[in-house]
Amino acid sequence: MAAHSPSVVNSNDEPGYDLDLFCKTNHYAEDLQKVFVPHGLIMDRTERLARDVMKEMGGHHLVALCVLKGGYKFFADLNRNSDKSIPMTVDFIRLKSYCNDQSTGEIKVIGGDDLSTLTEKNVLIVEDITDTGKTMQTLLSLVKKHKPKMVKAASLLVKRTPRSVRYRPDFVGFEIPDKFVVGYALDYNEYFRDLNHVCVITETRKAKYKA
Ligand code: HPA
Ligand code: MG
C-alpha cells in the first residue's frame, strides 16, 4: 500500500469544460458554471479503483458499506466493476454533516443496519467526497469498535482544503481544489444528485436552492 494513495489530481486553476460540450440536464443549465469531472472519466477511474480494492481486500468476505446519499452512484459503479469471485455483501448508512455548503461540524447518523454484522469482515466504506475528513474519521472509529478483520475507505473525491484534518482515504478517485461541486449523487441541499457529471455550481445561483 502506497503511503499516499494515488489519484487523478485536478489543479487549482483547472478550467473545467464548457457545459455545451456535453448532454446535460436542462433544468440545471443556468445553475452550473463548468463540468469539472465528466462522467466518462469517472467511469474509467472507478474501473481501476475497483481493481485496486479487490487486490488489497478481495481475499476474504467483503462488506461494501455505502455512505448515503452522496455515495450511491460511486458505490453502484464500484460494485459493478468488482471481481465476482468472492462473497460480497452490501450495507448502507446515512450521515449528515452539511447545511447549505457549510459543514456544521457535527455528524448525525440518520440510518443504518446493526454494525455488528461487520465483525471479522473486510469492510470497505464508500463515500462521495472527503472534505474536512471529520465524517470519515468518525465513521472509521465507529466501525472499528465492531472489530472488522480490515477496514478501508474509498472516496470518489478528496478536496484540498485548509479545513482538512489531514485524513486521506485508502482509495481516492480524484483530488479537487477547494470548490463546491455537485452531480454524480453529490448535492446542494438535495438538488443536482441527478446530474451525471461532477460540476461546479454558479455562485450567484446558489440562493435558488438555499435550504
Ligand atoms: N459538494 C457536495 N457535498 C459536499 C461537498 C461538495 O463540494 N463537500 C462536502 N460535501
Ligand atoms: Mg450532501
Side-chain angles (χ1 to χ4, degrees):
M1 178 73 202
H4 189 75
S5 46
S7 68
V8 175
V9 177
N10 290 97
S11 71
N12 283 349
D13 48 13
E14 167 83 51
Y17 303 89
D18 273 343
L19 289 151
D20 288 342
L21 296 170
F22 302 96
C23 293
K24 58 186 183 288
T25 317
N26 278 332
H27 54 274
Y28 293 139
E30 301 291 307
D31 308 324
L32 303 168
Q33 209 175 51
K34 290 280 183 184
V35 170
F36 208 60
V37 191
H39 186 254
L41 186 54
I42 298 173
M43 292 301 99
D44 288 339
R45 180 74 186 124
T46 304
E47 188 181 351
R48 174 56 194 262
L49 284 179
R51 198 172 89 185
D52 294 348
V53 168
M54 283 300 150
K55 203 166 149 206
E56 288 189 36
M57 305 184 74
H60 181 73
H61 184 139
L62 183 65
V63 182
L65 181 64
C66 177
V67 182
L68 294 171
K69 298 178 184 175
Y72 90 93
K73 287 197 193 219
F74 179 45
F75 184 78
D77 289 325
L78 207 53
N79 285 359
R80 196 167 39 79
N81 278 300
S82 68
D83 178 349
K84 304 295 183 294
S85 64
I86 50 134
M88 184 172 79
T89 50
V90 296
D91 200 353
F92 301 87
I93 196 165
R94 218 180 138 194
L95 310 161
K96 210 167 166 81
S97 70
Y98 259 72
C99 183
N100 293 327
D101 57 357
Q102 294 300 309
S103 177
T104 57
E106 175 196 336
I107 292 144
K108 278 189 220 142
V109 178
I110 299 178
D113 280 351
D114 183 9
L115 294 181
S116 65
T117 54
L118 305 180
T119 305
E120 285 303 312
K121 306 292 192 321
N122 280 359
V123 181
L124 178 70
I125 301 174
V126 181
E127 68 162 3
D128 53 353
I129 187 162
T130 304
D131 193 316
T132 63
K134 282 182 206 157
T135 307
M136 192 54 100
Q137 272 193 336
T138 308
L139 187 52
L140 275 171
S141 59
L142 196 69
V143 168
K144 279 178 185 161
K145 281 187 194 147
H146 296 275
K147 305 260 186 295
K149 187 167 189 278
M150 178 196 289
V151 56
K152 288 185 186 282
S155 187
L156 176 71
L157 307 171
V158 166
K159 219 182 254 194
R160 282 189 299 276
T161 164
R163 299 179 307 280
S164 170
V165 294
R166 306 212 161 267
Y167 164 76
R168 189 170 169 100
D170 304 279
F171 306 98
V172 178
F174 303 86
E175 192 188 294
I176 63 164
D178 197 0
K179 293 181 198 244
F180 198 81
V181 290
V182 293
Y184 192 69
L186 284 97
D187 75 308
Y188 178 70
N189 293 334
E190 297 303 326
Y191 290 93
F192 304 103
R193 293 196 201 274
D194 52 335
L195 265 173
N196 271 346
H197 313 292
V198 168
C199 297
V200 180
I201 189 168
T202 310
E203 277 301 319
T204 53
R205 298 284 293 183
K206 275 186 174 175
K208 185 179 161 194
Y209 299 100
K210 271 247 185 312

